[in-house]
Amino acid sequence: MTRGSGNRAPTARTRLFGLVGHPVSHSLSPAMQNAAFRAGGLDAAYAAFDVAPEALGEALAGARALGFGGLNVTVPHKERALALAVEAAPAAARAGAANTLVSVPGGWRAHNTDGAGLVAALRSELRLDPTGRTCLILGAGGAARGAALGLLEAGAQEILLANRNEDRAAALARELNRRCRTRRFASVPLGEAPERLGPEGLLVSATPLGLGPGNRWPWEIERFARGTVAYDLAYRAEAETPLVTQARERGLRAASGLSMLLHQGALAFTLWTGGPAPLAAMGRALRRARAAQGERSGGAQAHRTDPR
């Protein structure tokens, strides 16, 4: 990739990257990835593109025609993006979804950095190694799927799935056990989940519960053992999520999803460029962009659980 000042206008040699989703106006990824390119002295640019579901195939073909080197993919396109790719890395194939695409001869190679991004965030921000631990994930959607697979790869002993719709949690556990040829995934009734987690466990929220009016957090934090560590994939423009606030008040280690956004984005940067990601510069850009977004929204804006 051509090196440049990082601040000049794009040229004919500028490598192009981007995010496709619907909607994408909330995304902090452009600020983070453009800061990474500047820090690395790379002549590259990243932008977010709002693509309706029915137009994804055309958008990916158009990006290829324009010479894009790679794309991030967010909701609702992750499963379809995998189906449209000509190759799939193991993590994407197991997840049944792609969040990162890399241009290869003939099309796109699909990757999924969500699970590895979560594990990196846990290790760096909370000093937690999932190896041998019992983990409880609240949710049964795409964010829960990515978290579960990342924790499995990191060596978690048991991964419990809880959801308001218990049938969805049970179906996801069965699917993941089948895809991964394991028995480490299990569903658990929502009301029994805190006690099933036990001491020294990891609690991961992969839903927006607690962030908006009427979305009550389903458990009293006092029901979790003192050694529990909590991670909320959601994050807010200002302040912390209710889960993180309550967990810290109880004396538990806890963090929200901005660090996962950072680490999954760093993994995508490396896939695109072949070089190490400038984490410090990316983290600073994320914090600045988050603060600016909070000022525009009056501090009340809550962000979706999908890390983009």
Side-chain angles (χ1 to χ4, degrees):
M1 186 176 293
T2 305
R3 292 192 172 271
S5 68
N7 294 312
R8 66 189 183 190
T11 70
R13 296 195 303 171
T14 301
R15 294 290 307 279
L16 301 176
F17 300 88
L19 166 69
V20 292
H22 184 66
V24 293
S25 60
H26 66 283
S27 178
L28 303 181
S29 289
M32 174 178 65
Q33 295 294 2
N34 283 316
F37 294 143
R38 287 193 298 271
L42 303 178
D43 187 0
Y46 183 108
F49 301 92
D50 195 317
V51 177
E54 64 273 14
L56 180 63
E58 294 177 85
L60 295 186
R64 283 272 306 161
L66 289 169
F68 274 64
L71 294 167
N72 285 134
V73 183
T74 189
V75 292
H77 300 319
K78 291 187 174 186
E79 293 182 5
R80 179 66 176 151
L82 175 66
L84 292 170
V86 297
E87 300 176 8
R94 282 192 296 269
N99 80 331
T100 303
L101 299 175
V102 179
S103 180
V104 296
W108 298 103
R109 177 173 171 81
H111 296 262
N112 194 309
T113 66
D114 283 340
L118 169 62
V119 172
L122 291 170
R123 287 173 171 158
S124 65
E125 187 168 12
L126 294 175
R127 305 178 307 283
L128 181 133
D129 185 347
T131 303
R133 290 182 183 262
T134 298
C135 305
L136 168 63
I137 299 174
L138 174 63
R145 178 189 298 267
L149 288 167
L151 293 169
L152 176 73
E153 289 295 316
Q157 180 175 340
E158 183 179 28
I159 302 162
L160 306 173
L161 302 171
N163 193 56
R164 283 180 170 176
N165 183 329
E166 294 181 5
D167 290 341
R168 286 192 66 195
L172 180 58
R174 288 194 298 270
E175 179 192 343
L176 293 176
N177 280 327
R178 183 177 66 254
R179 280 181 178 270
C180 301
R181 299 180 181 180
T182 184
R183 295 184 179 179
R184 282 190 275 174
F185 298 103
S187 62
V188 57
L190 195 66
E192 301 175 11
E195 287 72 29
R196 284 284 301 273
L197 181 59
E200 306 301 322
L202 170 65
L203 167 64
V204 175
S205 174
T207 81
L209 287 179
L211 288 178
N215 290 331
R216 293 186 62 251
W217 178 245
W219 302 302
E220 295 178 355
I221 201 69
E222 290 77 16
R223 293 180 60 189
F224 290 90
R226 281 285 182 184
T228 301
V229 177
Y231 193 90
D232 195 341
L233 268 60
Y235 60 91
R236 304 181 89 162
E238 288 187 4
E240 285 293 0
T241 67
L243 168 60
V244 173
T245 298
Q246 292 171 30
R248 288 177 178 172
E249 287 174 351
R250 181 166 165 74
L252 307 181
R253 285 185 288 154
S256 57
L258 204 68
S259 55
M260 179 178 172
L261 174 60
L262 170 64
H263 285 282
Q264 62 79 26
L267 291 167
F269 177 94
T270 297
L271 287 170
W272 295 329
T273 68
L279 277 172
M282 295 171 78
R284 287 193 297 270
L286 269 183
R287 291 189 291 273
R288 286 195 299 267
R290 181 194 193 193
Q293 203 169 62
E295 291 174 2
R296 290 194 298 270
S297 65
Q301 185 175 350
H303 296 269
R304 64 184 66 210
T305 53
D306 187 72
R308 283 285 173 267

